[in-house]
Amino acid sequence: MAIDIKFIGKAYAPYTYDVCKEKIKEYAKAVKTLDPHYVDEKFAKKSKYGTIIAPPTFAVVFGANLIEPVFTDKELNLNMSMLVHGEQEMDFFEVIKAGDSITTGAVISDIKNKEKVDTITVEVTSKNQHGKLVCRGLYTFVVRK
Amino acid sequence: MEKGQTFQDSEVVDKYRTLYYAGASGDYNPIHIDPEFGKMVGLGGAILQGLCTMAFATRSVTNLIGDPGKLKKIKCRFSAPVMVEDTIKMQGTVTDIKDGLGYINLQVTTQGGAEVLQKFEAVVEV
């Protein structure tokens, strides 16, 4: 079954994620990115950011809270056994700091029905507690037919 | 940073990397953490989370620029799986510098030459 294009524009309820420095360190270690901005508190305090910041790609950690409801959306009914992550695009604005409270929303921005596959793109937008844009991600998934 | 400048990075995907990444990111899809499941669905074993490969690739760019806050954009296509114990090689080129922004292309391949991320592009403040 092709993904119905009527779902373009469907929005998902926002989720607020509290960023903690220990989670940042855990993520930085997992992706073997031991830049002192992420893991060295003394360095971070003296940096222009004044605290531990997250690697830019940490945005996928809170972004995941908006991808999960898309994957489990019964109305959309994606065939998860045929789904792979096809493309990723991320625009970065404000840096993510330890202690931030980040609210993320998502909308299905595109669906394409092709001969052998369907693609679905989810636009995920995150803002910090000051209302400033932190990251806009475009997650494109490919579902084989 | 200069136009035409090149840089390299690499990462050997250790046996447990997919588990560390699962814990840090929440992506516990069995194709990443269960080699038997990976074999059953025809992948030949556990495959690394694509966003982990993307994070390694992004690291090579943030290491180049020094200040992670200067990274403005990344994009890529996930074109082939990375298996546990593969070596990921990143080969970057600064393709242009214009209006205060640097444009970077990255080739991301495994030891056999397979291109695992295609069209990896980054934009940074310079």
Side-chain angles (χ1 to χ4, degrees):
Chain A
M1 273 277 285
I3 308 170
D4 197 325
I5 59 166
K6 75 176 182 188
F7 293 112
I8 295 173
K10 183 171 182 181
Y12 293 83
Y15 183 94
T16 299
Y17 180 101
D18 292 333
V19 180
C20 93
K21 66 183 179 189
E22 299 302 336
K23 188 68 188 179
I24 291 175
K25 290 180 192 174
E26 182 191 0
Y27 175 85
K29 286 175 186 169
V31 298
K32 300 183 81 173
T33 303
L34 301 178
D35 185 308
H37 286 94
Y38 315 143
V39 296
D40 182 338
E41 295 193 34
K42 274 188 190 160
F43 175 93
K45 274 210 177 83
K46 284 188 210 149
S47 78
K48 71 182 195 191
Y49 303 110
T51 188
I52 294 264
I53 62 166
T57 54
F58 185 83
V60 303
V61 176
F62 42 80
N65 293 299
L66 269 293
I67 297 300
E68 193 185 344
V70 176
F71 284 173
T72 57
D73 182 340
K74 288 204 167 64
E75 192 185 38
L76 186 63
N77 196 25
L78 296 177
N79 183 355
M80 290 304 295
S81 64
M82 289 295 180
L83 179 143
V84 293
H85 198 162
E87 291 176 36
Q88 182 76 16
E89 185 170 335
M90 302 180 90
D91 287 286
F92 304 108
F93 305 94
E94 294 291 309
V95 297
I96 305 158
K97 293 180 175 177
D100 276 356
S101 189
I102 297 195
T103 300
T104 302
V107 61
I108 296 175
S109 59
D110 195 22
I111 293 170
K112 286 194 176 85
N113 301 131
K114 299 180 184 174
E115 194 187 334
K116 290 181 179 166
V117 299
D118 287 336
T119 64
I120 178 166
T121 302
V122 186
E123 182 177 330
V124 176
T125 305
S126 301
K127 288 182 176 176
N128 65 18
Q129 67 276 21
H130 309 297
K132 291 202 166 156
L133 200 54
V134 166
C135 182
R136 187 172 51 234
L138 289 176
Y139 296 65
T140 299
F141 302 98
V142 179
V143 186
R144 286 172 288 152
K145 291 189 193 171
Chain B
M1 191 183 290
E2 288 172 19
K3 185 175 172 177
Q5 186 180 345
T6 61
F7 58 98
Q8 286 90 30
D9 193 357
S10 71
E11 185 64 43
V12 179
V13 182
D14 62 283
K15 194 174 168 188
Y16 301 114
R17 190 53 32 198
T18 66
L19 299 175
Y20 284 104
Y21 188 79
S25 69
D27 184 354
Y28 285 96
N29 188 323
I31 61 172
H32 302 308
I33 60 168
D34 183 348
E36 292 306 316
F37 186 88
K39 282 179 195 157
M40 203 173 73
V41 297
L43 294 167
I47 66 166
L48 185 65
Q49 291 89 342
L51 289 174
C52 187
T53 307
M54 190 187 77
F56 292 145
T58 305
R59 170 189 76 188
S60 73
V61 176
T62 49
N63 282 350
L64 177 78
I65 59 179
D67 176 358
K70 290 190 169 170
L71 181 66
K72 294 291 121 193
K73 184 185 185 74
I74 53 169
K75 64 186 286 190
C76 67
R77 184 180 291 170
F78 303 101
S79 43
V82 173
M83 310 301 295
V84 162
E85 293 175 351
D86 273 351
T87 300
I88 301 169
K89 293 181 177 177
M90 295 150 255
Q91 175 80 43
T93 307
V94 179
T95 57
D96 203 6
I97 294 180
K98 202 166 55 185
D99 302 329
L101 296 173
Y103 296 83
I104 291 167
N105 279 2
L106 205 61
Q107 281 199 308
V108 186
T109 55
T110 46
Q111 68 284 352
E115 208 177 3
V116 291
L117 298 183
Q118 273 179 345
K119 297 187 174 177
F120 186 106
E121 296 168 18
V123 181
V124 302
E125 277 174 17
V126 292

